[in-house]
């Protein structure tokens, strides 16, 4: 099983943390610190697998974000690279050309998507379509508590475009999306 | 009260902060606002406030005051509230928090909610972080949902069940009925999570494993469909259909087929099919192949399949992708024990990986290389490994050095090669060598008797070059101290002997004493080496001077040594030669490493000891049996008569000569016998064992037997590392006019003791007290009971055999208390 999943920016800022085992706050901070040091220090073309304590660490860099997870002994490292790739594709499917700013300003959505994909450190759903539909339908249940019109954020699923463009969007465009 | 600011607004504001202090100020202000809003029990904006709190928590700020608010959100009827509430719970309310259990009721209600997305939230939260108590309370609900036909809920319930089983394994049984038709699902999500659930159950319970073995055909069928079916857009990844499910099924098959021939046979075909048909151009195909290889190696597969698997790994090793090479090395490491020969075929590729730039790959390649070293490839492999040691990063050097020493010890083709290898490691990675290697190396050197001159010469030359690497310096100074006479006499056979004078040698050793690079331990070694040379060199005055200077050294250890050595010169000069003489060959104890006799590949060493060994070994066994018969008692433990581990190095000599090395050199005091029983470094000990702590004087000697002219005296000391071991030296003397030949001494002790009898100095007790036979007995007495012993003596006197039994009961109390 996956023990944790962290998203770290290139400057070492935490963008998402998911823990699948009970860990104290103090220990979490320690792990984050160590992961940041280890992963950010790796040279660009090195192996994506590291050994740390008794876990296998798999990390992958997507534009300005490092996706870093800790695996148990029996887990398949190569497949975990595919898991990380799948998560990024799910984010891309939801946000449309996802970039780090999306995840900063919509962190709760990133968590919701993750929860439709992984539970308890294991893969819950292997189909991108099903995850996309679940997110859309759950969105419709969200009650609107503000005066802005409800802009639909979900796009048609993008199967074909695997290549992720990390574009910069303006602040105004972000501010116009629905919010809490 | 104005509405609290929106989440995005807050995020944007915080990101404009230019310094950490500015950010902290903003956060504090907002936290204060949020706190007061919580106090007002504001339902409308609670969701927004908690969301903001979660953002600030991610930045690293405390958010514990929001914990109860999360609970309130979960209890709310609004979906938006619940969503943020559960997210907050997962981030802030792990099972160590007191309020964690308060969630239980809410989760229970939500598990039965009419909206599946609410049920989903509850299942997800429970499945990610539910505590044991919560799992116990809610397992029933989860089990109900596991049987639903709603695939969205069923898959979540399955993973939730996995979590429940991990937390409370006893609850596994209750999920068994629900697993009945899990695999007949068409929905991939449910299939995948079901396989995970089955895997978890089989891993934890052998009964479950047996029960689920019958699912193998079904699993094989599902896997086959995945491979054979056409393109399915929903589950496709780079042309492969649902790789995640394929890998999970392979993993379950591995567990089911592990020690079962029938199951393994049932999966042979599909494994072969997957192994040969999977597209390997992308990572995803290789991920499946990797899992397949692991499965093939773990089950009882036929040999053809195993060869196929190893070949796949061999291909992986040549892949450009670093990750795949890494994974190959890891898998080969797992299989090297069971399929050693197959892995050997890829040895050259593996050794090439030592030169890879990537750290993870280098480490794996190093571990695997050491696993592949054997008697046939030792020379070639060692060359590569030493080259690696030269050029690798410091983090590898210690492990590599230890590995080289171990491999060299096991497979060294010749003594000279062994010494050369050790030298190479010491000179290239000397500072990274582990501390315990120094004594091991010294022992090794001592035991290669004919290489002493060569060794000391090479070490001396190395010292001239570089005195910064402490382990090298320590070993060198010890050797110079021990074999300095060989050095100056230019006796080296293996290479051109160098010309070096006594003064030059002393210069080098004194240089070590004063150098800033030397650690205190090293200084101790060199001082002792200088002292030992006083019996080997003629320039005693110079040595006396050096020793007396250090009598006032600030370093207490050096001072103590110098003072004692000084005393040796002044008051105990008559003992000095005996104390400082050549070290005997050291007995290899278990703590020092492998106790097997060093294997040689028969390159230069004659195998003399091998022929001499068998008779000596069988004899004691017979004699021990005899003793048992005679004594008949159950309370007697047979003696295990040890023979000296005869290193081939002491070649050519008779067995007696070997024992002669060990013999107590007739010195008056028991001190000379100490080298055998004490840890090897009497004079160099890293322990600050004072030289003249005459423990043996505390236990008076005793006469154990005296009859017909044969007298046997026991003298005692305690073995230092273990106070429960008493070391008894027997001295057998003969007052008659004829020698006693073929003298054999045997002893037996009660059951609570353990006894070890070392080899005697000889088996002739000379007449008229012209000499004695000595032998060392070690008695382990953990229960500190009174020592008793039965002895049996056999010898030939005046042409006729004599045999006698006796009981020794007059042991002084100090010997066993």
């Amino acid at each position: 099983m996956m023990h944790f999943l962290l998203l770290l920016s290139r400057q070492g800022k935490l963008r998402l943390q998911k823990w699948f085992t009970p860990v104290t706050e103090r220990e979490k901070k320690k792990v984050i610190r160590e992961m940041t040091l280890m992963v950010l220090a790796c040279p660009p073309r090195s192996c994506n697998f590291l050994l740390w304590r008794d876990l296998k660490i798999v990390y992958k860099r997507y534009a300005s974000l490092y996706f870093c997870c800790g695996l148990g002994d029996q887990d398949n490292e190569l497949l975990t690279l595919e898991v990380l790739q799948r998560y990024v594709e799910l984010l891309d499917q939801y946000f449309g050309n996802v970039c780090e700013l999306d995840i900063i300003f919509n962190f709760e959505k990133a968590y919701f998507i993750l929860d439709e994909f992984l539970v308890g450190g294991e893969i819950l759903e292997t189909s991108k379509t099903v995850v996309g539909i679940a997110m859309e339908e759950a969105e419709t249940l969200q009650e609107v508590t503000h005066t802005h019109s409800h802009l639909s954020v979900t796009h048609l699923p993008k199967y074909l475009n695997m290549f992720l463009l990390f574009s910069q969007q303006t602040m105004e465009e972000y501010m116009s999306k629905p919010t809490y | 009260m104005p509405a609290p600011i929106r989440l995005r607004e807050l995020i944007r504001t915080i990101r404009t902060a230019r310094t950490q202090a500015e950010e902290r100020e903003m956060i504090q202000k907002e936290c204060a606002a949020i706190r007061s809003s919580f106090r007002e029990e504001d339902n409308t904006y609670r969701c927004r406030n908690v969301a903001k709190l979660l953002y600030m928590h991610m930045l690293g700020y405390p958010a514990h005051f929001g914990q109860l608010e999360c609970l309130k959100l979960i209890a709310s009827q609004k979906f938006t509230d619940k969503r943020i509430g559960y997210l907050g719970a997962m981030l802030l309310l792990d099972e160590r928090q007191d309020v964690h259990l308060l969630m239980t009721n809410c989760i229970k209600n939500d598990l039965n909610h009419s909206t599946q997305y609410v049920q989903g939230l509850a299942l997800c939260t429970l499945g990610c972080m539910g505590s044991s108590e919560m799992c116990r309370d809610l397992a029933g609900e989860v089990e109900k949902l596991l049987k639903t036909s709603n695939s969205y809920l069923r898959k979540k319930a399955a993973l939730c069940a996995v979590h429940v089983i991990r937390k409370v394994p006893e609850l596994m049984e209750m999920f068994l009925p629900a697993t009945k038709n899990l695999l007949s699902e068409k929905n991939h999500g449910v299939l995948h999570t079901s396989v995970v659930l089955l895997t978890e159950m089989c891993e934890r319970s052998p009964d479950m494993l047996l029960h689920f073995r019958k699912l193998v055909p079904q699993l094989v069928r599902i896997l086959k469909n995945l491979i054979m079916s056409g393109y399915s857009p929903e589950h496709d990844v780079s042309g492969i259909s649902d790789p995640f499910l394929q890998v999970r099924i392979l993993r379950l098959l591995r567990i089911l087929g592990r020690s079962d021939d029938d199951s393994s046979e049932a999966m042979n075909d599909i494994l072969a099919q997957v192994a040969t048909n999977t597209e390997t151009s992308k990572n995803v195909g290789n991920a499946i192949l990797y899992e397949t290889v692991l499965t093939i190696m773990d089950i009882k597969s036929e040999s053809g399949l195993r060869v196929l698997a190893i070949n796949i790994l061999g291909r992986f090793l040549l892949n450009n992708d670093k990750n795949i090479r890494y994974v190959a090395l890891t898998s080969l490491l797992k299989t090297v024990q069971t399929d050693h020969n197959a892995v050997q075929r890829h040895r050259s590729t593996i050794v090439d990986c030592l030169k890879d730039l990537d750290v993870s790959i280098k480490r794996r390649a190093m571990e695997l290389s050491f696993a592949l070293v054997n008697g046939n490839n030792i020379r070639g492999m060692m060359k590569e490994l030493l080259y690696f040691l030269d050029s690798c990063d410091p983090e590898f050097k210690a492990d590599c050095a230890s590995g080289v020493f171990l491999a060299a010890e096991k497979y060294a083709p010749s003594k000279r090669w062994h010494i050369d290898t050790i030298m190479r490691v010491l000179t290239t990675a000397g500072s990274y060598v582990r501390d315990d290697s120094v004594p091991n190396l010294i022992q090794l050197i001592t035991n290669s008797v004919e290489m002493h001159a060569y060794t000391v010469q090479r070490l001396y030359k190395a010292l001239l070059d570089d005195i910064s690497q402490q382990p090298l310096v320590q070993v060198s100074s010890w050797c110079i101290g021990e074999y300095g006479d060989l050095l100056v006499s230019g006796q080296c056979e293996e290479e051109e002997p160098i010309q070096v004078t006594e003064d030059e040698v002393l210069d080098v050793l004194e240089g070590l004493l004063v150098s800033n690079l030397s650690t205190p331990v090293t200084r101790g070694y060199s001082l002792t080496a200088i002292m030992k040379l006083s019996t080997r060199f003629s320039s005693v005055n110079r040595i006396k001077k050096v020793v007396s200077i250090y009598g006032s050294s600030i370093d207490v250890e050096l001072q103590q040594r110098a003072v004692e050595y000084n005393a040796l010169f002044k008051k105990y000069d008559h003992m000095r030669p005996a104390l400082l003489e050549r070290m005997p060959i050291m007995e290899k104890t278990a703590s020092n490493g492998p106790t097997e006799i060093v294997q040689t590949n028969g390159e230069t060493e004659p195998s003399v000891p091998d022929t001499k060994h068998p008779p000596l070994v069988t004899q004691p066994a017979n004699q021990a049996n005899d003793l048992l018969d005679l004594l008949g008692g159950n309370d007697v433990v047979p003696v295990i008569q040890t023979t000296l581990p005869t290193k081939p190095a002491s070649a050519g000599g008779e067995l007696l000569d070997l024992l002669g090395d060990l013999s107590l050199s007739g010195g008056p005091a028991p001190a000379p016998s100490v080298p055998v029983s004490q840890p090897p470094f009497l004079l160099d000990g890293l322990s600050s064992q004072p030289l003249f702590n005459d423990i043996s004087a505390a236990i008076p000697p005793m006469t154990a037997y005296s009859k017909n002219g044969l007298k046997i005296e026991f003298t005692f000391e305690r073995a230092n590392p273990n106070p429960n071991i008493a070391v008894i030296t027997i001295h057998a003397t003969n007052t008659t006019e004829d020698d006693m030949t073929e003298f054999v001494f045997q002893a037996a002790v009660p059951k609570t003791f353990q006894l070890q009898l070392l080899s005697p100095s000889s088996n002739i007790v000379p007449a008229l007290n012209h000499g004695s036979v000595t032998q060392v007995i070690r008695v382990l007495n953990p229960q500190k009971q009174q020592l008793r012993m039965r002895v049996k003596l056999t010898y030939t006197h005046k042409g006729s055999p004599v045999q006698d039994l006796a009981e020794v009961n007059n042991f002084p109390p100090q010997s066993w208390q």
Side-chain angles (χ1 to χ4, degrees):
Chain A
M1 64 175 264
M2 200 184 280
H3 287 239
F4 59 81
L5 172 67
L6 303 173
L7 264 62
L8 302 162
S9 79
R10 289 234 283 154
Q11 290 79 34
K13 292 213 154 160
L14 186 68
R15 298 300 179 205
L16 188 142
Q17 53 175 331
K18 189 78 185 178
W19 303 88
F20 296 109
T21 58
V23 182
T24 60
E25 277 298 324
R26 196 168 165 174
E27 184 64 26
K28 280 182 196 171
K29 286 202 162 73
K30 190 157 168 231
V31 175
I32 292 167
R33 204 168 39 237
E34 287 190 33
M35 284 299 114
T36 314
L37 285 172
M38 258 173 65
V39 168
L40 264 56
C42 282
R45 270 177 236 300
S46 49
C47 183
N48 293 88
F49 311 136
L50 301 164
L51 288 171
W52 178 80
R53 295 194 190 171
D54 60 337
L55 295 176
K56 301 196 262 202
I57 305 293
V58 177
Y59 76 93
K60 188 126 196 255
R61 189 176 143 212
Y62 288 91
S64 57
L65 275 179
Y66 284 89
F67 288 63
C68 167
C69 59
L71 301 180
D73 191 47
Q74 295 293 313
D75 293 317
N76 185 326
E77 296 98 312
L78 294 177
L79 193 73
T80 309
L81 285 175
E82 295 299 320
V83 170
L84 294 177
Q85 172 75 11
R86 173 56 67 88
Y87 182 48
V88 172
E89 288 172 10
L90 290 172
L91 291 170
D92 188 58
Q93 175 183 274
Y94 181 81
F95 288 108
N97 292 338
V98 67
C99 63
E100 190 181 342
L101 277 178
D102 281 310
I103 299 176
I104 295 173
F105 280 90
N106 301 282
F107 68 93
E108 81 280 3
K109 294 288 197 304
Y111 276 108
F112 298 153
I113 295 169
L114 186 61
D115 287 341
E116 292 296 329
F117 178 45
L118 301 173
V119 167
E122 305 283 357
I123 299 171
L124 172 70
E125 179 56 61
T126 58
S127 156
K128 281 192 343 192
T129 333
V130 173
V131 175
I133 293 173
M135 282 304 288
E136 280 180 33
E137 292 192 3
E139 207 91 340
T140 63
L141 294 177
Q142 293 230 149
E143 301 85 353
V144 177
T145 55
H146 48 76
T147 54
H148 282 231
S149 57
H150 184 99
L151 289 166
S152 175
V153 185
T154 54
H155 298 231
L156 284 169
K158 296 179 177 214
Y159 297 120
L160 301 171
N161 187 8
M162 297 295 149
F163 177 71
L164 297 165
L165 293 166
F166 287 90
S167 61
Q168 291 292 323
Q169 295 195 18
T170 60
M171 276 307 129
E172 290 73 49
E173 286 171 61
Y174 275 103
M175 301 314 292
S176 66
K177 289 183 184 170
T179 176
Y180 293 103
Chain B
M1 170 96 199
I5 65 169
R6 296 182 189 285
L7 170 64
R8 295 248 178 82
E9 191 64 47
L10 177 69
I11 296 177
R12 192 175 80 137
T13 316
I14 291 177
R15 280 169 64 80
T16 61
R18 263 164 297 196
T19 65
Q20 185 76 347
E22 213 180 313
E23 181 184 280
R24 217 174 315 145
E25 209 184 295
M26 291 180 195
I27 302 262
Q28 271 171 359
K29 203 169 120 201
E30 186 56 37
C31 276
I34 292 176
R35 270 197 168 98
S36 50
S37 184
F38 285 162
R39 264 195 300 266
E40 287 170 22
E41 298 284 336
D42 189 324
N43 288 339
T44 333
Y45 295 111
R46 182 176 286 124
C47 179
R48 184 183 290 187
N49 284 327
V50 170
K52 287 188 286 186
L53 199 54
L54 291 178
Y55 177 74
M56 295 189 286
H57 174 251
M58 183 142 63
L59 292 179
Y61 295 93
H64 45 270
F65 57 90
Q67 286 172 359
L68 272 174
E69 303 300 313
C70 292
L71 287 176
K72 292 179 196 166
L73 283 175
I74 293 173
S76 154
Q77 289 311 307
K78 295 200 277 198
F79 183 70
T80 321
D81 283 357
K82 281 188 191 290
R83 239 183 166 187
I84 294 289
Y86 276 117
L87 178 62
M90 284 197 270
L91 287 174
L92 302 178
L93 278 178
D94 66 66
E95 60 186 51
R96 288 161 211 269
Q97 308 302 326
D98 305 322
V99 293
H100 180 85
L101 265 180
L102 296 175
M103 276 198 288
T104 315
N105 215 28
C106 284
I107 294 183
K108 187 165 190 183
N109 291 336
D110 283 341
L111 284 175
N112 292 309
H113 203 274
S114 51
T115 314
Q116 70 174 20
Y117 292 103
V118 173
Q119 289 173 293
L121 284 176
L123 280 169
C124 179
T125 308
L126 182 58
C128 282
M129 44 87 79
S131 65
S132 316
E133 293 86 20
M134 221 191 269
C135 287
R136 256 184 251 271
D137 286 339
L138 300 172
E141 306 293 327
V142 174
E143 198 260 344
K144 237 173 24 190
L145 288 170
L146 192 51
K147 296 192 279 207
T148 174
S149 53
N150 179 332
S151 52
Y152 179 78
L153 291 176
R154 208 168 181 203
K155 68 189 187 195
K156 291 203 179 198
L159 287 187
C160 201
V162 171
H163 179 85
V164 168
I165 292 172
R166 281 179 182 154
K167 282 296 201 187
V168 193
E170 303 91 64
L171 292 175
M172 205 186 326
E173 302 285 318
M174 76 184 282
F175 293 110
L176 188 53
T179 62
K180 212 181 268 189
N181 50 2
L182 273 179
L183 288 185
S184 28
E185 266 277 355
K186 289 279 181 280
N187 180 294
H188 280 227
V190 178
L191 263 181
H192 186 276
T193 55
S194 305
V195 173
V196 174
L197 177 59
L198 292 170
T199 310
E200 190 68 31
M201 291 168 104
C202 290
E203 273 176 344
R204 281 178 187 269
S205 156
D207 292 329
M208 292 287 183
L209 181 60
L210 278 166
H211 174 84
F212 286 125
R213 272 229 173 92
K214 61 179 194 273
L215 291 176
V216 169
Q218 207 173 354
L219 289 165
V220 169
R221 231 178 5 254
I222 298 173
L223 190 52
K224 195 162 188 158
N225 284 337
L226 281 173
I227 303 170
M228 307 299 276
S229 69
Y231 174 74
S232 151
E234 203 179 328
H235 299 110
D236 180 85
V237 179
S238 304
I240 295 180
S241 192
D242 207 339
F244 305 107
L245 182 56
Q246 286 193 36
V247 166
R248 239 21 245 245
I249 292 179
L250 286 165
R251 195 161 141 185
L252 181 55
L253 286 176
R254 178 154 86 238
I255 296 170
L256 292 175
R258 201 166 257 158
S259 354
D260 188 60
D261 290 320
D262 292 329
S263 309
S264 301
E265 201 184 314
M267 37 178 109
N268 254 322
D269 285 342
I270 191 67
L271 289 174
Q273 205 176 355
V274 175
T276 43
N277 288 348
T278 309
E279 182 67 46
T280 58
S281 53
K282 293 273 177 74
N283 179 62
V284 61
N286 289 317
I288 296 177
L289 275 182
Y290 175 37
E291 198 73 32
T292 313
V293 164
L294 289 177
T295 302
I296 292 174
M297 300 315 291
D298 225 3
I299 65 172
K300 293 194 174 279
S301 48
E302 52 180 36
S303 60
L305 205 52
R306 291 183 93 84
V307 168
L308 180 61
I310 302 260
N311 287 345
I312 291 176
L313 290 179
R315 277 207 311 275
F316 274 6
L317 276 180
L318 299 167
N319 196 304
N320 284 330
D321 188 334
K322 280 198 177 34
N323 299 326
I324 293 174
R325 291 211 297 279
Y326 177 88
V327 143
L329 288 170
T330 311
S331 315
L332 285 170
L333 198 55
K334 282 191 215 160
T335 61
V336 74
Q337 303 302 329
T338 46
D339 292 81
H340 191 89
N341 291 331
V343 180
Q344 281 282 1
R345 265 180 242 130
H346 300 280
R347 194 178 67 241
S348 51
T349 324
I350 293 168
V351 166
D352 281 338
C353 288
L354 283 173
K355 304 192 182 83
D356 199 296
L357 295 166
D358 187 275
V359 165
S360 302
I361 291 184
K362 272 201 277 220
R363 180 164 283 283
R364 283 297 193 228
M366 181 182 84
E367 289 168 14
L368 194 49
S369 300
F370 279 123
L372 286 176
V373 169
N374 64 24
N376 293 325
N377 58 34
I378 176 74
R379 281 187 186 274
M381 287 296 275
M382 199 50 87
K383 226 191 314 195
E384 296 285 346
L385 288 165
L386 286 173
Y387 180 74
F388 174 69
L389 182 63
D390 270 340
S391 50
C392 68
D393 300 325
E395 58 189 286
F396 290 115
K397 290 210 195 229
D399 290 327
C400 190
S402 305
V404 167
F405 286 145
L406 266 167
E409 213 170 315
K410 273 202 263 187
Y411 302 112
S414 74
K415 283 284 166 208
R416 159 115 191 228
W417 182 93
H418 198 167
I419 303 275
D420 284 341
T421 307
I422 292 174
M423 290 288 313
R424 177 88 184 267
V425 174
L426 284 178
T427 47
T428 55
S431 12
Y432 299 97
V433 161
R434 283 198 238 278
D435 289 337
D436 62 356
S437 316
V438 173
N440 284 342
L441 292 175
I442 290 178
Q443 181 172 44
L444 208 64
I445 292 171
T446 324
N447 290 333
S448 345
V449 171
E450 77 282 9
M451 301 297 298
H452 284 168
Y454 172 69
T455 312
V456 70
Q457 182 165 295
R458 283 211 61 187
L459 285 170
Y460 178 75
K461 285 200 273 192
L463 257 194
L464 290 176
D465 279 331
D466 174 18
I467 59 168
S468 65
Q469 305 194 83
Q470 299 307 297
L472 172 63
V473 173
Q474 287 166 12
V475 175
S476 303
S477 34
W478 191 94
C479 284
I480 294 174
E482 196 61 19
Y483 310 119
D485 48 331
L486 296 176
L487 184 61
V488 296
S489 65
Q491 278 180 18
C492 186
E493 284 170 3
E494 300 280 343
E495 63 174 23
E496 185 72 32
I498 58 174
Q499 308 296 335
V500 75
T501 65
E502 292 184 1
D503 278 323
E504 284 171 341
V505 173
L506 288 171
D507 283 341
V508 168
L509 287 175
E510 281 185 52
L512 292 175
L513 273 174
V514 301
S515 164
N516 283 335
L517 296 166
S518 300
T519 61
V521 168
T522 309
R523 292 206 175 96
Y525 269 92
S526 56
L527 185 63
T528 305
I530 293 176
M531 185 60 192
K532 281 202 252 181
L533 289 174
S534 72
T535 51
R536 294 159 174 74
F537 283 4
S538 51
S539 32
V540 182
N541 287 327
R542 180 174 172 179
I543 294 175
K544 272 195 201 171
K545 219 167 47 161
V546 173
V547 165
S548 62
I549 291 174
Y550 280 88
S552 46
S553 159
I554 299 177
D555 182 333
V556 176
E557 172 73 25
L558 274 183
Q559 192 191 100
Q560 180 174 10
R561 288 181 188 223
V563 163
E564 288 170 3
Y565 295 155
N566 247 333
L568 250 191
F569 274 125
K570 297 205 164 60
K571 284 197 286 175
Y572 297 93
D573 205 40
H574 58 283
M575 291 178 66
R576 188 164 52 85
L579 279 166
L580 299 178
E581 67 171 10
R582 262 290 193 274
M583 283 287 209
I585 295 175
M586 290 172 215
E587 195 183 296
K588 250 193 153 159
T589 59
S591 56
N592 277 350
T595 49
E596 318 109 49
I597 298 169
V598 171
Q599 311 265 2
T600 61
N601 271 1
E603 285 209 10
T604 53
E605 320 302 321
S607 53
V608 169
D610 286 331
T611 53
K612 294 234 192 255
H613 242 126
L616 204 64
V617 168
T618 52
Q619 249 194 353
N622 293 336
Q623 291 170 335
N625 287 338
D626 290 346
L627 203 60
L628 262 184
D629 289 339
L630 276 169
L631 301 173
N634 293 331
D635 61 337
V636 175
V637 172
V639 167
I640 304 148
Q641 185 149 14
T642 57
T643 57
L644 257 192
T646 53
K647 302 281 170 187
S650 32
E654 295 239 355
L655 218 51
L656 269 185
D657 285 353
L658 267 175
L659 299 173
D661 261 351
L662 192 60
S663 81
L664 314 163
S665 53
S673 71
V674 172
V676 175
S677 53
Q678 296 267 36
F681 306 102
L682 175 66
L683 297 175
D684 290 302
L686 299 174
S687 66
S688 49
Q689 160 86 44
L691 214 51
F692 295 102
N693 182 8
D694 209 357
I695 311 166
S696 49
I699 312 174
M702 60 173 264
T703 305
Y705 175 93
S706 180
K707 209 161 135 187
N708 296 336
L710 176 64
K711 177 169 150 192
I712 297 184
E713 238 189 44
F714 283 0
T715 51
F716 302 91
E717 50 263 319
R718 291 229 177 255
N720 262 322
N722 186 349
N724 290 334
I725 296 181
V727 181
I728 307 171
T729 311
I730 68 153
H731 304 259
T733 48
N734 173 7
T735 53
T736 68
E737 287 170 7
D738 292 278
D739 291 351
M740 293 171 178
T741 56
E742 288 161 347
F743 176 78
V744 176
F745 172 90
Q746 285 170 276
V749 287
K751 225 194 248 180
T752 50
F753 298 84
Q754 272 183 43
L755 186 141
Q756 188 184 26
L757 202 55
L758 303 177
S759 300
S761 59
S762 86
N763 51 14
I764 301 177
V765 190
L768 298 171
N769 288 340
H770 278 151
S772 67
V773 166
T774 51
Q775 192 166 5
V776 175
I777 310 171
R778 294 159 64 103
V779 181
L780 177 65
N781 182 7
Q783 295 180 20
K784 301 256 185 231
Q785 293 196 350
Q786 182 180 17
L787 187 51
R788 296 183 291 130
M789 200 184 274
R790 277 190 192 151
V791 300
K792 177 177 169 187
L793 307 158
T794 50
Y795 56 92
T796 304
H797 188 233
K798 292 190 194 158
S800 45
V802 181
Q803 197 175 284
D804 198 5
L805 280 175
E807 198 147 352
V808 184
N809 283 326
N810 54 332
F811 284 96
Q814 301 99 309
S815 65
W816 46 268
Q817 271 169 353

